Amino acid sequence: MKTIKLMPLMALMALLSFSCSTEEMPDESIANVNLTNIPAAKTIEIEIMELINNHRISIGKNPLTAMGIIKSVAFTHTDYMVEIDQVNHDNFYQRKNSLIQNAGARTVSENVGYGYSTAGAVVNAWLNSPSHREILEGNFTDFEISAEQNSEGRWYFTNIFISK
């Protein structure tokens, strides 16, 4: 009977003795990033933004305004994904909090992508995914995109949306 009463305590101690480590992962911290250093827009990024705004207008939504600070934040994530060669939403809450503090955002959402070679292909992929489409069509005011290629020439994308 005493062993049964100790089981929850032993389970709690076992859980507390394990931890996750990110020491081997590259740092994606945006705390040290100069948010006024905005990367120049690439043709594919401009095309993506135009396609998204054209879609939004076609369904009666407001077009979104480009905002440099969002591009700086998106770039940190795209660069990180290229560095680790993996598409993901790692450290989203860092990006979100940075945009709340520095851009006056009330809400923040993002879409990421990998491997699409044209603006139309990545936007169509997002539109064909219910969760990504919901973000594209959401009640946002501003957005930006960062697109970077890895060493094999494959594109990574981070598209961040905010509402103020």
Side-chain angles (χ1 to χ4, degrees):
M1 183 88 168
K2 287 185 179 184
T3 305
I4 292 174
K5 288 183 180 178
L6 290 175
M7 291 296 268
L9 180 60
M10 291 189 314
L12 179 62
M13 290 185 66
L15 282 173
L16 294 175
S17 66
F18 296 101
S19 67
C20 295
S21 173
T22 58
E23 291 176 24
E24 296 180 62
M25 297 297 285
D27 184 23
E28 188 201 352
S29 174
I30 58 175
N32 299 325
V33 172
N34 179 353
L35 296 177
T36 60
N37 185 15
I38 304 163
K42 296 174 184 68
T43 301
I44 194 169
E45 294 169 335
I46 295 166
E47 291 171 352
I48 289 168
M49 293 173 66
E50 288 174 350
L51 287 169
I52 290 170
N53 270 339
N54 288 342
H55 172 75
R56 289 178 62 85
I57 291 166
S58 77
I59 61 168
K61 294 283 190 172
N62 64 301
L64 303 176
T65 304
M67 185 180 227
I69 193 168
I70 300 172
K71 183 164 187 71
S72 294
V73 171
F75 175 76
T76 64
H77 186 60
T78 307
D79 193 47
Y80 167 77
M81 291 191 300
V82 168
E83 186 176 338
I84 67 168
D85 199 27
Q86 181 184 52
V87 67
N88 60 61
H89 291 283
D90 291 356
N91 305 308
F92 171 72
Y93 290 102
Q94 276 187 300
R95 292 186 294 288
K96 178 182 176 180
N97 289 334
S98 177
L99 291 167
I100 288 169
Q101 292 171 5
N102 299 298
R106 286 185 297 115
T107 58
V108 180
S109 292
E110 77 179 13
N111 285 334
V112 296
Y114 164 77
Y116 299 97
S117 58
T118 67
V122 71
V123 172
N124 283 333
W126 286 332
L127 288 172
N128 288 320
S129 162
S131 60
H132 292 94
R133 182 185 196 106
E134 184 177 341
I135 292 171
L136 284 176
E137 296 176 353
N139 292 321
F140 298 104
T141 56
D142 305 273
F143 74 147
E144 257 299 352
I145 182 83
S146 171
E148 298 295 326
Q149 289 179 295
N150 67 9
S151 59
E152 290 89 38
R154 291 197 183 109
W155 288 98
Y156 284 82
F157 305 91
T158 304
N159 193 193
I160 298 180
F161 301 79
I162 72 167
S163 63
K164 291 179 158 188

